[in-house]
């Protein structure tokens, strides 16, 4: 159970008595909440108290600050492992939960590789946020917003957001604000490209459901095209060459799934191309370098047995049909999957908060951001400050389960 105690209130009518203890108000008080009372527009003039930074909050579009007698609001940025584990454990009889994320579901990332080759369906690895925390779709004070957070204003206890339109030109992004009592940043990380030219344009990552869909579509398309009459031998081999860059857990897992697909399905259904399709795994160092040596040896043995080729090298350039290694070797490919780890997202880098040595949001042992009040950071977007003496934890899903041991206090 997640415990949130001694909650700091942000009340429009009070500034000194901000430490208030809340009791479970039951269904009688929650029934008085309405959408109209929660949302404010630019024309609303009920909020007349200026924020501490001098900004007039009477012109407020979005969710206004909570008032006395209302449940305090916990805003969660992100719908990944850490954010969803937190939302699942919050007692919504005591607190309202607002989630802001560009996706309305959680992805079980360890099984994404299986969806690329048809072992699992995409819906099997995605869980809607409203099912993880039912209060988001039932309680009048809890919401999910399909949006990105663009700015954090800790002085005013607000986050500035912009709706996520997925690149649709027909929809104009809408900007709004959300007032919070407690803010939990769980926005995750993004795939690391190390500034290598051509990665974003030509490679496919494996972090979201739409990435797995794109890999599956391209893999099947290449299988079809490679059997076209009159196609050159070199072009056929290029189309059927699947290259995975990165020997971490995701890269090794996907290489294994792909090799199983080739042995069990391709050789039966695509007999004309079965001898030309190959999988190459490129890694600058040893694969699974952060794991026990016995596990590494076992993984290498199994992948070798299934026909995965290993190439040790550093990618220097990625072109539409080939990549170039640091020694000048050219590797043609039909499918390129990039899995070289993660790093801080542009949003995390833009925040004026202390950072850990890797550039993630710096936190103490209670997941608090020391320089600001009522702001916490969990998951891949956070890391321990050097002053704590704790090492940065690896980006593993098992660590998210430890979230139920900390408290917001």
């Amino acid at each position: 159970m997640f415990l949130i105690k001694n909650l700091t209130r942000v009340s429009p009518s009070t500034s000194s008595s901000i430490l208030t203890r809340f009791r479970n108000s039951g269904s009688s008080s929650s029934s008085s909440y309405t959408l109209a009372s929660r949302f404010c527009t630019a024309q609303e003039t009920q909020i007349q108290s200026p924020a501490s930074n001098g900004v007039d909050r009477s012109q407020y579009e979005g969710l206004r600050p909570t008032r006395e007698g209302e449940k305090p609001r916990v805003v969660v940025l992100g719908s990944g492992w850490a954010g969803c584990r937190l939302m699942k454990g919050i007692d919504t009889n005591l607190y309202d939960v607002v989630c802001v994320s560009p996706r309305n579901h959680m992805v079980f990332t360890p099984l994404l590789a299986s969806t690329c080759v048809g072992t699992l369906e995409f819906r099997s690895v995605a869980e809607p946020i409203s099912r993880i925390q039912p209060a988001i779709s039932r309680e009048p004070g809890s919401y999910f917003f399909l949006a990105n957070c663009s700015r954090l204003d800790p002085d005013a206890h607000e986050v500035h957001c912009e709706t996520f339109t997925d690149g649709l030109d027909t929809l104009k992004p809408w900007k709004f604000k959300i007032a919070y009592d407690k803010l939990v940043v769980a926005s995750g990380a993004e795939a690391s490209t190390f500034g290598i030219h051509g990665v974003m344009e030509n490679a496919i990552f494996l972090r979201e459901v739409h990435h797995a869909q794109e890999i599956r579509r391209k893999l099947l398309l290449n299988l079809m095209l490679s059997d076209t009459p009159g196609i050159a031998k070199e072009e056929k081999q290029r189309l059927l060459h699947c290259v995975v860059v990165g020997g971490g857990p995701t890269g090794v897992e996907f290489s294994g799934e792909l090799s199983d697909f080739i042995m069990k399905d391709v050789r039966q259904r695509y007999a004309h191309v079965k001898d030309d399709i190959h999988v190459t795994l490129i890694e600058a160092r040893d694969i699974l370098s952060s794991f026990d040596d016995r596990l590494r040896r076992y993984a290498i043995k199994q992948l070798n047995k299934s026909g995965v080729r290993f190439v040790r090298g550093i990618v220097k350039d990625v072109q539409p049909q080939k990549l170039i290694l640091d020694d000048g070797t050219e590797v043609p490919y039909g499918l390129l999957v990039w899995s070289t780890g993660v790093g801080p997202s542009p949003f995390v880098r833009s925040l004026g908060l202390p950072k850990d040595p890797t550039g993630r949001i710096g936190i103490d042992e209670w997941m608090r951001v020391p320089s600001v009040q009522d702001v916490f950071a969990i998951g891949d977007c956070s890391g321990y400050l050097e002053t704590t003496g704790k090492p940065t934890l690896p980006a593993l899903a098992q660590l998210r389960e430890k979230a139920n041991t900390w408290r917001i206090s």
Side-chain angles (χ1 to χ4, degrees):
M1 174 65 66
F2 292 95
L3 300 179
I4 305 179
K5 60 181 183 178
N6 297 332
L7 189 70
T8 300
R9 295 300 309 273
V10 183
S11 174
S13 59
T14 60
S15 58
S16 58
S17 58
I18 58 175
L19 293 178
T20 307
R21 184 178 299 273
F22 289 87
R23 298 175 297 174
N24 185 354
S25 54
S27 59
S28 60
S29 62
S30 62
S31 62
S32 63
Y33 299 150
T34 63
L35 282 175
S37 67
R38 290 301 181 123
F39 284 99
C40 299
T41 64
Q43 289 73 35
E44 181 162 344
T45 59
Q46 293 180 356
I47 306 174
Q48 299 176 354
S49 176
S52 58
N53 60 0
V55 178
D56 185 5
R57 298 176 69 184
S58 62
Q59 303 299 315
Y60 196 96
E61 295 182 355
L63 283 178
R64 59 163 175 75
T66 55
R67 298 167 178 168
E68 292 295 334
E70 294 178 344
K71 290 186 288 185
R73 180 183 301 138
V74 179
V75 176
V76 181
L77 304 181
S79 57
W81 287 85
C84 287
R85 181 63 184 88
L86 170 65
M87 288 187 287
K88 181 179 179 180
I90 289 180
D91 186 351
T92 54
N93 290 317
L94 301 176
Y95 312 105
D96 285 332
V97 181
V98 176
C99 178
V100 179
S101 176
R103 69 181 189 196
N104 65 348
H105 57 277
M106 174 190 167
V107 179
F108 193 76
T109 46
L111 294 180
L112 263 184
S114 299
T115 66
C116 297
V117 296
T119 305
L120 292 175
E121 283 300 319
F122 300 109
R123 63 178 179 270
S124 301
V125 301
E127 186 75 0
I129 299 300
S130 59
R131 191 174 297 168
I132 295 173
Q133 179 46 266
I136 285 179
S137 59
R138 297 176 184 174
E139 297 294 327
S142 296
Y143 307 96
F144 170 81
F145 298 125
L146 192 71
N148 284 309
C149 180
S150 57
R151 189 167 72 88
L152 166 62
D153 187 349
D155 294 330
H157 272 61
E158 294 173 353
V159 288
H160 296 236
C161 304
E162 183 176 295
T163 54
F164 179 73
T165 58
D166 200 18
L168 294 177
D169 297 332
T170 55
L171 295 176
K172 183 179 179 180
W174 176 258
K175 297 182 180 181
F176 59 97
K177 303 175 186 178
I178 302 174
Y180 64 83
D181 293 304
K182 296 290 184 181
L183 175 66
V184 181
V185 183
S187 54
E190 67 172 12
S192 296
T193 64
F194 305 102
I196 299 173
H197 173 264
V199 174
M200 297 297 297
E201 295 80 7
N202 302 301
I204 305 176
F205 303 102
L206 188 52
R207 295 179 56 79
E208 305 287 349
V209 170
H210 66 87
H211 293 152
Q213 291 172 330
E214 176 63 15
I215 291 172
R216 185 167 172 176
R217 184 198 67 81
K218 192 158 190 177
L219 179 61
L220 295 177
L221 177 64
N222 289 348
L223 284 168
M224 297 291 103
L225 293 177
S226 64
D227 205 20
T228 304
I231 191 172
K233 181 70 174 178
E234 295 77 11
E235 179 65 7
K236 182 177 183 178
Q237 292 176 341
R238 181 192 70 80
L239 286 170
L240 295 175
H241 190 200
C242 305
V243 176
V244 182
V245 179
T250 302
V252 170
E253 178 71 18
F254 177 71
S255 299
E257 288 282 359
L258 198 52
S259 62
D260 282 347
F261 174 67
I262 292 171
M263 290 190 300
K264 298 178 181 179
D265 293 282
V266 171
R267 292 182 178 177
Q268 295 181 10
R269 303 182 185 182
Y270 306 95
H272 297 96
V273 301
K274 64 180 181 180
D275 297 325
D276 295 305
I277 186 168
H278 297 287
V279 181
T280 297
L281 179 60
I282 300 176
E283 171 56 49
R285 296 173 294 180
D286 295 326
I287 68 167
L288 300 177
S289 57
S290 61
F291 288 76
D292 183 80
D293 190 59
R294 292 173 297 175
L295 181 59
R296 289 179 50 252
R297 290 197 302 268
Y298 176 80
I300 292 173
K301 178 181 177 182
Q302 293 300 116
L303 291 177
N304 280 329
K305 186 185 299 184
S306 60
V308 176
R309 302 172 178 175
F310 291 98
V311 173
R312 179 167 294 185
I314 300 175
V315 178
K316 289 297 184 182
D317 187 35
V318 177
Q319 299 178 11
Q321 295 185 356
K322 65 180 180 181
L323 57 83
I324 301 174
L325 302 181
D326 55 342
D327 61 359
T329 303
E330 296 184 356
V331 182
Y333 66 85
L335 173 66
L336 176 61
V337 176
W338 195 269
S339 176
T340 58
V342 296
S345 66
F347 169 67
V348 169
R349 293 196 296 267
S350 70
L351 295 176
L353 301 175
K355 303 295 194 300
D356 79 334
T358 65
R360 301 191 285 183
I361 300 173
I363 56 174
D364 62 14
E365 59 272 18
W366 294 102
M367 309 295 180
R368 299 173 296 193
V369 181
S371 61
V372 291
Q373 277 192 329
D374 305 320
V375 178
F376 301 77
I378 59 177
D380 292 346
C381 69
S382 64
Y384 287 123
L385 291 167
E386 289 183 293
T387 53
T388 64
K390 294 179 176 289
T392 298
L393 299 175
L396 298 176
Q398 290 87 339
L399 297 175
R400 308 303 175 266
E401 286 299 315
K402 293 185 178 180
N404 62 357
T405 65
W406 61 271
R407 301 180 180 185
I408 301 178
S409 60

